[in-house]
Amino acid sequence: MTVPIKLASFVLILAVVFALGAGLGALVGPFNAQSPPVHTGHTG
Amino acid sequence: MTTADVDQEQLQVDIGGMTCSSCAARIEKRLNRMDGVTAAVNYATEQARVTYPPGVTPDELIAQIEAAGYTASLPRSTSPSERPSDDDSDTRSDMRSVRALRDRLLVSTLLTVPVVLLAMVSALQFRNWQWLSLMLAAPVVVWGALPFHRAAWTNLRHAAATMDTLISVGVIAAFAWSLYALFIGDAGLPNMTMSFNLTPDRGGGQHDIYLEVASAVTVFILAGRYFEARAKRRSGAALRALLELGAKDVGVLRDGQEVRIPIEALSVGDQFVARPGEKIATDGIVEDGTSAIDASLLTGESVPVEVGPGDAVVGATVNAGGRLVVRATRVGAETQLAQMARLVTEAQMGKAPIQRLADRVSAIFVPIVIALAVATLGFWIGAGEPTSFAFTAAVAVLIIACPCALGLATPTALLVGTGRGAQLGILIKGPEVLESTQRVDTIVLDKTGTVTTGRMTLVAVHPAADTTDDDVLRIAGALEDASEHPIGQAIARAAAERFGTLPIVTAFENRRGLGVQGTVDDHAVVAGQDRLLVDAGIPVPRELLDARSAAEDVGHTAILVGWDRLPRGVVVVADTVKPTARDAIAELRALGLHVMLLTGDNERAANSVATEIGIDDVIARVLPEDKLAVIRRLQDEGHIVAMVGDGVNDAAALAQADLGLAMGTGTDVAIEASDLTLVREDLRSAADAIRLSRRTLQTIKGNLFWAFAYNIAALPLAAAGYLNPLIAGAAMAFSSVFVVSNSLRLRRFRASNSSRDGSSN
C-alpha cells in the first residue's frame, strides 16, 4: 500500500469510528443527558 | 567509496533523519524501485550501500532518498587509506549528537523541575503561578521535545507510528489543552490553584492545566534516549581497533641504509626491516633472515610460525625471533588486515537492525488511541453534549495515553541489567543485543581461545625403550627452560611442576625452525623435529615416529628428544580444553541452543576436542576467512546464530552473527565487533550472558506492560470526561516507580554456578 492510500484509509477508518461513536452516543445520550458543570473562577 | 564493477557502480551513502528500522526499509524500497538499482540500508550505521547501473548518477540516488524525507550525502573520503580519519569524524559527530542530547536533557530538566513542583505542591502556587509554569514549560514542549515532533512528522508522511508519534501527540495534546484552558478557559485567572480533589469532576478540563505532564514526559523520554545513545555501539570502533593493530612506521632500506618512514609512505616493492619484537609493517615476502612470526593476534593460533627467505608474512603480525628483511607485496587497502577490516564493516552493514520493542508496541497503540479519541469525540457529540466538552474528553484521551514511563522502560532495565552483567564479567553493548538473545537457536564456538585455553600444556610423554618418562621430561624441560617458544615453555613448566628445580642448561642453542640443543647434566641434548635429531646423528626409531604421528593426527604437537646420540622419547603438548568447557556446553544446551564447534583443525583433531567437551556437531577445516561464510550459511538455513570467538579472524563472523560474544581475553577487534563481551576466560559466562540478557529483555517487556497499564486504566476516565491532573500525575508516578523497581529486581540475577565470584553478592 502506498502512503497516500494508507493515510486515506486510516482517515476513513477514523470517520467510521467517529460515526460509530456518535451513533452510540445518540443511543445512550437521551438516557444520560447532562450538561457539563459550569466553572466560574475555580479556586480549588 | 566508488568501485567499478563489471558494469555496475557501487556507492556508499550517509543517510540522516532515520528514526527506526522501518525508515531504513522505506528508503530501501524506494531505491530498489529504480531500474537496475539494488540498495541495502542500515539503520544502525545510518548508511546505504547502493549498486547502480551506469545510467544512474549518485545525485539521482540522493534525490530519491531526499524525496522520501531524509537527508543523504556521499561520504567525504573515497580512498580506503583515508578511512581512519573518516572514522574519527564519525566519532566526533557521534559525540556531538550525544552532547546535544545531554544539553537538551539538562535544560529541559532545569525548566521542568519548578513546573512539576508548582503543580504538585499547592503551597507554592502563588498568584499567577500558572503563567510562570507556561513560560517554563513552553521551551521544553517546543524545543526539548523537538526531536520527537520531528520524528513524528517524518513518520506521519509515511503513515507510520512509533514511540515518537505517541510522545509527540501526547505532549502536544497536553500543551495545547493547557493553552486553551489558560487563554480561553478560566485557568488563567490570577487566583487559580490546581484542583487536587479525589472525586473526579466531570468536564473540568477548562480550568485544569497539564503543563507538568507535558514537560515531565518530555524529560523522562529524553533521559531514556540519552542513556541509550551513550550505550549505542559505534560502528566504526571495530574498524579503528583493527587498523590500530598495524605498525605506525617502518624502517625501509634505501641504498642499504635504513630510513624510518610512516607506514603510509611504504609502497609495493620496498624492502623493509622487521626487528625482533616489532610488528611486520605490511604483507610481504621474506628476503633475508629467519625468525618465528607470532600471528596469534590475527589467527588466534598460539604457536609461532617459522619463516625464512621466500616465505610470505602478513602485516600486523609480530616478529618474535630474529631480524628479517621483507619485500612489501601489498600495502594499504590491499593487505590482509585491511581486507579483514572490510569484511567486518560489510558484516556490520549487512546486519538487519531490530526494531525497538517500544516502537513495535507504539505502532499498534497509537492508531488505537487516535481512534479511541475520535470515537470519544463522536460519542459525546452524538450524545448531545456541547462540542467543547466532547473535545475535552477526546484530548484527555490523548493526554493520558502517552505514558511517561515508556521512556524509562528500556533504559532502566538496561542500566541495571548491564550493571549486574559487569559484576559477573559480562559486558552488554546495547538494547538491540537483548532482542537477539531471545531468538538465538544455534551457538557456534570457535575452538582456539574459546573452548581451549589458547595456551600450550603438556599432554603426554612417550619414552623410548630403556628410558623413563621422568627422565625425558626432566632433561627436555631443563633444556626448554632456556627457550622462549610457547612449546618449550609448556614443557619447561610441566617439568618444573613435577620436579621442582631443574638442572642448569649450558651451551644452549636455538636452531630456528628445527628445535633447540644444549648441555644438561653433562648430556648433549637435542629436542625438536626429527631433522634436528638426524643432524645430530641420532636415529629416530619407528615407535617414536608412530607416537608423533598419532599425536599430530589429533592436532597435538610432538617434540622428539634425544641425548648422548640416542633417541629418548617424544613429548606431546597441546592447546588444552578449558576445565569448565564441558559444563558450559551443558548449560548452553539447557538454554535450548544447538551447540557447534568451529575450527581450522582437521576432522580428527576437531572431533577429539568435540568428544571431550560433549559437542556432536563439528565444522572442521575452516579457513579463518571462511568463518564468516559458515555463519552466513547457517543464517540462510534459517537459524538465528550466536558466535563465540576471540581472534581478529573471528571479528567478521562475530559481526555477522545475530549475537556475537567475544572472550575478554581476546583481541580488541573481536570485542568491538561483538555484541557481548565475556570478561572471564570461563566459557560458562556465555550461558550466563544469554540468561541475563533474556532476563533483562523480559524485564523490559514487563516494564512496557506496566508503563502502559496505569495509563490504559485511566483511559476510560479520560473518555468519560473525568480526567484531572491528579489522575494523570498518579498514573505517571505509579508507572514510573513500578518500572524502576521492576528493573531493580535484575540486581538479584545469579550466575548459574554459585561457586563463581560475583554471583554470591
Side-chain angles (χ1 to χ4, degrees), chain B residues 30-49:
Chain B
R30 192 153 185 141
L31 288 173
N32 286 335
R33 264 210 299 266
M34 297 171 73
D35 260 350
V37 175
T38 35
V41 181
N42 188 308
Y43 166 58
T45 57
E46 301 196 309
Q47 279 184 329
R49 203 176 43 217

Side-chain angles (χ1 to χ4, degrees), chain B residues 251-559:
Chain B
V252 181
L253 289 180
R254 297 265 157 88
D255 307 322
Q257 290 289 314
E258 198 183 317
V259 191
R260 281 215 91 76
I261 57 167
I263 188 79
E264 294 80 24
L266 190 70
S267 47
V268 173
D270 279 347
Q271 268 190 332
F272 63 89
V273 178
R275 290 203 184 74
E278 256 185 4
K279 276 181 184 165
I280 308 282
T282 191
D283 299 1
I285 305 279
V286 178
E287 298 227 312
D288 189 29
T290 53
S291 175
I293 299 290
D294 177 1
S296 58
L297 218 55
L298 289 187
T299 60
E301 196 51 64
S302 46
V303 183
V305 187
E306 305 289 341
V307 292
D311 287 334
V313 288
V314 178
T317 53
V318 179
N319 178 7
R323 178 179 185 270
L324 290 174
V325 175
V326 184
R327 185 171 293 281
T329 52
R330 281 182 297 205
V331 293
E334 303 304 313
T335 60
Q336 279 203 26
L337 186 66
Q339 281 169 10
M340 276 185 190
R342 217 160 22 242
L343 279 181
V344 173
T345 12
E346 274 177 19
Q348 283 184 337
M349 282 276 294
K351 200 166 177 177
I354 297 151
Q355 201 182 6
R356 269 204 303 263
L357 207 54
D359 279 335
R360 285 212 298 265
V361 178
S362 304
I364 304 162
F365 191 65
V366 172
I368 293 179
V369 165
I370 293 176
L372 192 64
V374 169
T376 306
L377 184 72
F379 180 84
W380 290 118
I381 289 176
E385 299 284 350
T387 323
S388 68
F389 174 74
F391 265 106
T392 316
V395 174
V397 167
L398 294 181
I399 295 174
I400 197 67
C402 174
C404 91
L406 184 63
L408 297 175
T410 309
T412 50
L414 201 65
L415 277 179
V416 181
T418 48
R420 182 67 190 130
Q423 285 176 342
L424 296 170
I426 300 158
L427 307 179
I428 304 173
K429 278 242 176 91
E432 301 85 5
V433 175
L434 305 173
E435 305 249 348
S436 318
T437 55
Q438 189 77 357
R439 300 173 304 132
V440 162
D441 58 15
T442 305
I443 186 161
V444 178
L445 308 174
D446 173 54
K447 198 197 84 177
T448 314
T450 303
V451 172
T452 64
T453 56
R455 252 193 335 268
M456 287 287 168
T457 11
L458 181 79
V459 176
V461 180
H462 301 286
D466 312 330
T467 318
T468 64
D469 57 351
D470 272 4
D471 279 344
V472 174
L473 184 60
R474 197 174 64 90
I475 304 278
L479 176 65
E480 295 283 9
D481 199 28
S483 161
E484 284 176 355
H485 198 282
I487 293 176
Q489 287 292 309
I491 298 173
R493 215 170 31 241
E497 271 168 27
R498 198 183 294 184
F499 307 110
T501 46
L502 295 172
I504 304 292
V505 56
T506 51
F508 178 81
E509 195 187 339
N510 192 346
R511 300 283 299 276
R512 206 166 297 285
L514 292 175
V516 289
Q517 61 187 53
T519 309
V520 179
D521 287 352
D522 296 329
H523 303 294
V525 192
V526 289
Q529 298 194 6
D530 48 353
R531 228 180 82 202
L532 185 70
L533 272 74
V534 173
D535 283 358
I538 302 173
V540 185
R542 183 85 257 149
E543 80 227 45
L544 291 190
L545 288 176
D546 285 349
R548 185 188 65 172
S549 41
E552 283 176 351
D553 274 352
V554 289
H556 297 172
T557 308
I559 312 294

Side-chain angles (χ1 to χ4, degrees), chain A residues 1-3 6-7 10 13-15 17-19 21-30 32-37 39-44, chain B residues 29 156-159 186 189 191-195 201-204 207 367 370-372 374-375 377-386 389:
Chain A
M1 255 198 319
T2 61
V3 171
K6 229 176 173 180
L7 275 179
F10 186 61
I13 291 170
L14 285 188
V17 168
F18 176 82
L24 189 66
L27 273 177
V28 182
N32 191 26
Q34 185 190 345
S35 290
H39 293 278
T40 47
H42 190 88
T43 53
Chain B
K29 217 154 85 188
L156 180 69
R157 287 172 48 186
H158 301 284
D186 47 17
L189 297 175
N191 54 355
M192 177 266 191
T193 54
M194 208 68 140
S195 53
D201 154 22
R202 191 159 176 271
H207 60 269
I370 293 176
L372 192 64
V374 169
L377 184 72
F379 180 84
W380 290 118
I381 289 176
E385 299 284 350
F389 174 74

Side-chain angles (χ1 to χ4, degrees), chain B residues 611-676:
Chain B
T611 325
E612 195 179 338
I613 54 175
I615 297 181
D616 12 82
D617 208 343
V618 181
I619 313 172
R621 285 188 198 280
V622 181
L623 295 172
E625 52 271 26
D626 290 343
K627 289 185 178 176
L628 176 68
V630 169
I631 302 291
R632 281 217 180 110
R633 202 188 64 225
L634 287 168
Q635 287 172 329
D636 288 343
E637 286 167 10
H639 294 291
I640 308 291
V641 186
M643 155 101 192
V644 193
D646 66 336
V648 169
N649 58 341
D650 298 328
L654 286 170
Q656 173 69 33
D658 298 282
L659 179 72
L661 297 99
M663 303 305 287
T665 45
T667 54
D668 287 353
V669 186
I671 292 171
E672 289 297 346
S674 66
D675 305 303
L676 285 166

Side-chain angles (χ1 to χ4, degrees), chain B residues 51-276:
Chain B
T51 316
Y52 59 100
V56 179
T57 64
D59 287 343
E60 286 176 75
L61 296 170
I62 287 177
Q64 280 294 325
I65 299 170
E66 285 175 347
Y70 305 92
T71 61
S73 59
L74 296 176
R76 268 164 294 122
S77 151
T78 51
S79 136
S81 61
E82 289 171 35
R83 286 300 287 271
S85 63
D86 209 34
D87 271 352
D88 285 348
S89 77
D90 275 1
T91 325
R92 272 201 298 275
S93 81
D94 269 359
M95 274 167 59
R96 253 204 309 276
S97 65
V98 171
R99 217 174 291 144
L101 190 56
R102 189 196 59 195
D103 293 346
R104 209 178 277 273
L105 173 65
L106 277 179
V107 174
S108 301
T109 311
L110 283 177
L111 294 171
T112 299
V113 169
V115 175
V116 172
L117 283 178
L118 279 174
M120 298 286 171
V121 186
S122 314
L124 295 176
Q125 293 172 358
F126 56 89
R127 196 175 152 85
N128 284 326
W129 66 275
Q130 68 273 41
W131 296 100
L132 175 69
S133 275
L134 177 66
M135 275 172 59
L136 294 172
V140 179
V141 169
V142 176
W143 173 78
L146 192 63
F148 311 126
H149 302 321
R150 219 183 261 148
W153 175 241
T154 317
N155 287 328
L156 180 69
R157 287 172 48 186
H158 301 284
T162 62
M163 185 174 141
D164 295 298
T165 318
L166 187 58
I167 312 292
S168 183
V169 167
V171 168
I172 289 174
F175 188 67
W177 182 257
S178 307
L179 285 183
Y180 169 77
L182 282 170
F183 286 98
I184 296 164
D186 47 17
L189 297 175
N191 54 355
M192 177 266 191
T193 54
M194 208 68 140
S195 53
F196 268 168
N197 47 345
L198 272 172
T199 45
D201 154 22
R202 191 159 176 271
Q206 297 191 17
H207 60 269
D208 286 334
I209 54 174
Y210 293 92
L211 290 172
E212 82 285 5
V213 174
S215 352
V217 164
T218 308
V219 167
F220 274 121
I221 309 278
L222 277 177
R225 284 286 156 88
Y226 173 64
F227 292 134
E228 258 179 64
R230 274 208 333 188
K232 192 177 165 187
R233 77 146 94 221
R234 285 194 308 275
S235 56
L239 196 65
R240 260 195 302 283
L242 195 50
L243 292 172
E244 270 165 18
L245 279 183
K248 303 285 174 290
D249 55 3
V250 57
V252 181
L253 289 180
R254 297 265 157 88
D255 307 322
Q257 290 289 314
E258 198 183 317
V259 191
R260 281 215 91 76
I261 57 167
I263 188 79
E264 294 80 24
L266 190 70
S267 47
V268 173
D270 279 347
Q271 268 190 332
F272 63 89
V273 178
R275 290 203 184 74

